[in-house]
């Protein structure tokens, strides 16, 4: 039996075990997906130990996404983003990937949204970094708006300076959103706004019917941003799609097989 897993702290509410085990069941793979909760200081030791014990692959969540970089050889995208959420433990050293980026890209492509033109990314934390680099890699013009404007500017400079990236980026404060959204084709909410309270990070009157909107927030599934966007006639994509496709990408990296997307989606949405 193969073992895959997740390291994070806390991990008790993770939706990854049912999603991945649905994939093993659908394809008849003899494997289990286990959650591990090491101490905050033990991310590197956890990765090294997992590899030693024969765990084939790990997902990585808060607070370990940055510090496991010391235990892996990151691919180019993960190195640019500066965070790893998926590890192939069968290589030596283990290989680090950032499949949150693929989660963003594949959420749009699954919904038939062309990744061209201009994207506004609200947020410059972990999800914002993954979205900004992923969409710049697609050649999009990336406009990052963040509450702390210095983080947006620093992220934009990092994207623009990255040699392998074909798109460009600029950083702004949240007050620029009405002007930025007027010219945008795509919007990603990569802040936590909408999770705790029924609030939106973007002014409703700035949303329009030519936008495709992905909200990284998946609890609740129907956020105020997505309700406002639907009312404006925009295409809306909830955060469970991003969660699904980061898992789909991880499964495919680990097994080399095409993921059973429908089975994984059904299992995931059954938990939400
Ligand atoms: P993070 O690194 O802590 O970053 C949080 C971001 O939200 C920062 O840009 C922060 O701005 C902004 N923010 C927080 N509170 C705000 C407020 N009241 N008003 C405006 N901006 C605010 O978190 P993260 O890991 O990027 O996660 C962000 C969200 O994405 C969470 O809801 C998380 O669950 C979700 N997420 C979803 C997926 C998925 O697969 N669907 C994957 C990853 C993350 P400052 O820089 O000014 O603090």
């Amino acid at each position: 039996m193969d073992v895959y897993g997740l390291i994070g702290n806390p991990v008790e509410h993770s939706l990854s075990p049912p999603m991945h085990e649905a994939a093993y069941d659908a394809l008849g793979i003899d494997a289990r997906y286990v959650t591990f909760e090491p101490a905050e200081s033990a991310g590197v030791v956890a990765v090294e130990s997992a590899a030693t014990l024969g765990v084939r692959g790990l997902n990585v969540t808060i607070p370990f996404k940055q510090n496991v970089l010391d235990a892996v050889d990151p691919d180019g995208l993960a190195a640019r983003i500066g965070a790893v959420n998926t590890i192939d433990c069968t290589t030596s050293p283990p290989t680090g990937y950032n499949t949150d980026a693929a989660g963003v890209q594949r959420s749009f492509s699954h919904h038939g949204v062309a990744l061209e033109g201009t994207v506004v990314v609200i947020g410059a934390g972990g999800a914002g970094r993954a979205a900004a680099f992923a969409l710049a890699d697609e050649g999009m013009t990336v406009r990052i708006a963040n509450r702390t404007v210095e983080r947006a500017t620093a992220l934009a400079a990092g994207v623009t300076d990255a040699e392998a990236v074909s798109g460009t980026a600029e950083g702004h404060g949240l007050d620029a959103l009405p002007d930025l959204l007027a010219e945008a084709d795509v919007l990603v909410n990569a802040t936590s706004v909408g999770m705790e309270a029924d609030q939106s990070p973007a002014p409703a009157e700035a949303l329009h019917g030519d936008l495709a909107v992905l909200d990284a927030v998946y609890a609740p599934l129907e956020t105020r941003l997505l309700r406002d966007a639907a009312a404006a006639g925009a295409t809306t994509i909830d955060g469970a799609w991003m969660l699904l496709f980061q898992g789909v990408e991880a499964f495919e990296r680990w097994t080399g097989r095409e993921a059973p997307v429908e089975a994984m989606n059904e299992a995931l949405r059954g938990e939400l």
Side-chain angles (χ1 to χ4, degrees), residues 123-127 146-148 151 190-193 195 216-218 239 242-243:
N146 196 48
R147 177 176 64 179
T148 309
R151 286 186 89 190
T191 74
S192 47
V193 177
M195 267 178 79
V217 171
Y218 55 83
M242 180 176 165
L243 192 57

Side-chain angles (χ1 to χ4, degrees), residues 8-225:
N9 193 339
V11 288
E12 61 186 320
H13 298 299
S14 172
L15 301 167
S16 291
M19 178 169 64
H20 282 279
E21 294 205 339
Y24 309 147
D25 287 348
L27 297 185
I29 296 173
D30 183 18
R32 293 298 306 271
Y33 187 102
V34 184
T35 57
F36 302 102
E37 199 169 286
E40 284 203 23
S41 58
V44 168
V45 175
V47 173
E48 290 169 351
S49 304
T52 303
L53 292 172
V55 173
R56 295 186 65 81
L58 284 175
N59 282 134
V60 182
T61 189
I62 292 168
F64 301 117
K65 286 186 179 185
Q66 282 85 31
N67 60 20
V68 297
L69 277 164
D70 291 337
V72 303
D73 181 14
D75 78 347
L77 183 58
R80 289 197 290 282
I81 295 169
V84 162
N85 80 324
T86 298
I87 299 174
D88 176 355
C89 299
T90 66
T91 61
S92 182
T95 308
Y97 301 101
N98 189 307
T99 69
D100 285 335
V104 172
Q105 290 163 333
R106 293 179 71 165
S107 293
F108 285 114
S109 55
H110 181 81
H111 287 84
V113 176
L115 291 177
E116 52 197 28
T118 299
V119 56
V120 174
V121 176
I122 312 178
R129 292 185 66 80
F133 278 100
L135 298 173
D137 268 2
E138 296 288 327
M140 296 191 80
T141 299
V142 181
R143 295 184 165 146
I144 303 153
N146 196 48
R147 177 176 64 179
T148 309
V149 65
E150 294 79 13
R151 286 186 89 190
T153 311
L155 172 54
V159 171
T160 302
D161 289 348
E163 277 176 25
V165 170
S166 51
T168 58
E170 53 193 58
H172 300 269
L174 296 177
D175 55 350
L177 277 173
D179 289 341
L180 298 180
L181 288 170
E183 294 177 2
D185 305 288
V186 169
L187 169 64
V188 178
N189 174 36
T191 74
S192 47
V193 177
M195 267 178 79
E196 302 291 331
D198 190 34
Q199 293 173 343
S200 171
E205 58 279 10
L207 303 171
H208 54 80
D210 294 331
L211 271 176
V213 181
L214 168 65
D215 199 335
V217 171
Y218 55 83
L221 271 181
E222 196 192 62
T223 57
R224 174 136 173 217
L225 170 63

